[in-house]
Amino acid sequence: MALPTKKPRNIRKALKQKNPSTNEVNIMAQKLSEISPDMQEMQEMLQKLRIEKEKTEELLKEKDEMLKAKEEELVTKGREQEKLQMEFKKLQKLKEPSPPYILWCKYQWNEVKKENPDAEFKEISNILGAKWKSVNAEEKKPYEEKYQAEKEAYLQLIANERSERHKQKTAMELLEQYIQFKQEAEKENKKTKKEKDPLKPKQPISAFFLFSNERRAKKNKEKYLQEMEAYKQKKDEEAMNLKKEEEEMLKLQKQEALQLLKKEETENIIKKTKEKRQKKKQQNADPNKPKRPASSFLLFNKEARKLT
């Protein structure tokens, strides 16, 4: 038995690469020529932006360094001020130096007081003054040296105080300058932002925004119409309610007026009937007709009143 042989399949031929036509080549070249200047402009703009960014970063770094240096100066000056304050407190304990005569008097006062116990302050001071005149220069020397030492210490204290005040003033001035500098730096940082050019043409609105604006306008119109209908209905209802209230008020007023008329009519009828009765009585009354005698009860009452 001979096996069936498979027929060989038709092998597909490789597709030949189509060479572009001259028209297509020209179109592509035109497109590239149109795109290339735009690309160049974009690249130039990007380069400018990069340069500006680098400049701003450098300026900001310089300002930060300046601020740090100022802060360090203030810290060091604050420490110096603290040291000076400590020294000033130590020196502040010293009092104003007393002259050599007063120092001598302090030592001699008790002795003179013992010699003259009955003497007063004025007399003792006079005695001490006379003695001081007779004291030698050698005896006066220790008191004078002590006075000079105290005087030097006192003058140094005053000088330190003045210098401290001056330093405090300078520190305050520096602080104010630092604050002003910081504020100016913040303002400049804010100003570094690009200001919009008013003459620059705006970009056209996209199709999506145009579509959304149209939809919004339609929706707003529909909403407005609905609100107007609701408003008109409310106004009509209010007008109807007002009319009903006015009608009810008119009805009440009419009823009250009718009631008043009825009252007046009844009162007039009563008056007329009373007048008619009185006229009849007057016509029928006889002047010669004897009066009725008083009853026993009335007579008893009269007698009782007389007795009381």
Side-chain angles (χ1 to χ4, degrees):
M1 289 286 290
L3 291 164
T5 55
K6 287 182 180 180
K7 289 180 181 180
R9 289 181 181 177
N10 293 323
I11 297 159
R12 289 181 182 177
K13 292 178 181 180
L15 293 166
K16 289 181 181 180
Q17 289 182 354
K18 288 183 179 180
N19 291 320
S21 62
T22 53
N23 291 325
E24 287 176 357
V25 169
N26 290 325
I27 290 157
M28 288 289 283
Q30 283 177 0
K31 284 180 180 178
L32 287 166
S33 63
E34 287 174 359
I35 291 160
S36 59
D38 293 332
M39 289 291 286
Q40 284 176 359
E41 285 177 4
M42 288 288 284
Q43 284 176 356
E44 286 173 1
M45 287 287 285
L46 285 165
Q47 282 177 356
K48 283 178 183 177
L49 288 166
R50 281 172 191 166
I51 291 157
E52 285 176 359
K53 192 180 178 183
E54 287 172 0
K55 283 179 182 178
T56 50
E57 283 175 356
E58 285 174 1
L59 285 166
L60 288 166
K61 281 178 184 178
E62 286 175 1
K63 283 173 185 176
D64 289 330
E65 286 172 0
M66 288 281 284
L67 289 166
K68 282 177 184 177
K70 290 269 184 185
E71 284 174 358
E72 286 173 0
E73 282 178 8
L74 287 165
V75 169
T76 51
K77 280 178 181 178
R79 286 172 185 169
E80 286 174 1
Q81 278 182 355
E82 285 175 1
K83 285 178 184 178
L84 286 164
Q85 280 177 357
M86 291 291 285
E87 289 174 1
F88 178 69
K89 281 176 183 177
K90 286 177 184 177
L91 291 165
Q92 216 169 14
K93 291 175 183 178
L94 294 167
K95 292 179 182 178
E96 196 174 347
S98 50
Y101 170 69
I102 289 161
L103 292 167
W104 179 79
C105 285
K106 282 178 184 177
Y107 288 110
Q108 297 292 323
W109 187 270
N110 292 324
E111 290 179 5
V112 174
K113 187 75 178 171
K114 282 177 185 177
E115 289 173 3
N116 302 300
D118 297 327
E120 292 179 356
F121 179 81
K122 198 172 184 181
E123 290 174 356
I124 291 163
S125 61
N126 288 326
I127 292 158
L128 286 166
K131 274 188 176 183
W132 177 253
K133 285 175 184 177
S134 62
V135 173
N136 295 324
E138 289 178 0
E139 290 177 357
K140 286 180 182 178
K141 195 174 182 180
Y143 300 108
E144 285 173 355
E145 285 174 356
K146 194 177 181 182
Y147 168 69
Q148 282 177 356
E150 285 178 358
K151 191 179 180 182
E152 284 174 2
Y154 181 71
L155 290 167
Q156 195 176 2
L157 188 142
I158 289 161
N160 287 330
E161 190 179 355
R162 283 175 183 170
S163 65
E164 191 180 356
R165 282 179 186 172
H166 182 67
K167 282 176 182 178
Q168 281 178 355
K169 280 181 182 178
T170 51
M172 288 297 288
E173 286 172 1
L174 282 165
L175 249 175
E176 286 174 359
Q177 286 175 5
Y178 170 70
I179 290 158
Q180 284 178 356
F181 179 75
K182 207 169 186 181
Q183 286 174 355
E184 285 172 2
E186 285 174 358
K187 283 178 183 177
E188 283 177 3
N189 286 330
K190 285 178 182 177
K191 283 178 182 177
T192 50
K193 290 180 181 178
K194 273 193 171 181
E195 292 180 356
K196 288 182 180 180
D197 188 6
L199 301 170
K200 190 179 178 181
K202 291 181 181 179
Q203 285 186 350
I205 298 163
S206 63
F208 173 74
F209 278 111
L210 290 166
F211 172 72
S212 61
N213 286 330
E214 285 176 3
R215 287 289 298 277
R216 275 178 200 158
K218 284 178 183 177
K219 282 182 179 178
N220 289 330
K221 197 174 182 181
E222 288 172 0
K223 196 177 180 182
Y224 171 72
L225 290 167
Q226 287 174 1
E227 286 175 355
M228 280 298 291
E229 284 176 2
Y231 176 73
K232 283 177 182 177
Q233 284 177 0
K234 278 183 183 178
K235 284 284 179 186
D236 292 334
E237 286 174 0
E238 285 175 0
M240 289 289 284
N241 291 324
L242 282 166
K243 278 182 181 179
K244 284 178 182 178
E245 286 175 0
E246 285 174 358
E247 286 173 358
E248 287 174 358
M249 286 289 287
L250 286 165
K251 283 179 183 178
L252 288 167
Q253 285 174 1
K254 283 178 181 178
Q255 285 175 1
E256 287 174 357
L258 288 166
Q259 285 175 0
L260 286 166
L261 286 166
K262 283 178 182 178
K263 278 183 182 180
E264 286 176 358
E265 284 175 358
T266 50
E267 284 174 358
N268 289 324
I269 290 160
I270 290 159
K271 280 180 182 179
K272 284 176 181 179
T273 50
K274 281 180 179 180
E275 285 173 357
K276 282 178 182 179
R277 282 175 186 173
Q278 284 176 2
K279 282 178 182 179
K280 280 180 182 179
K281 280 180 182 179
Q282 285 175 3
Q283 285 173 4
N284 295 324
D286 190 4
N288 297 317
K289 190 178 178 180
K291 290 180 180 180
R292 278 185 184 181
S295 63
S296 59
F297 177 73
L298 288 169
L299 293 165
F300 173 74
N301 278 333
K302 281 179 182 179
E303 286 175 2
R305 281 174 189 168
K306 284 175 183 178
L307 290 167
T308 55

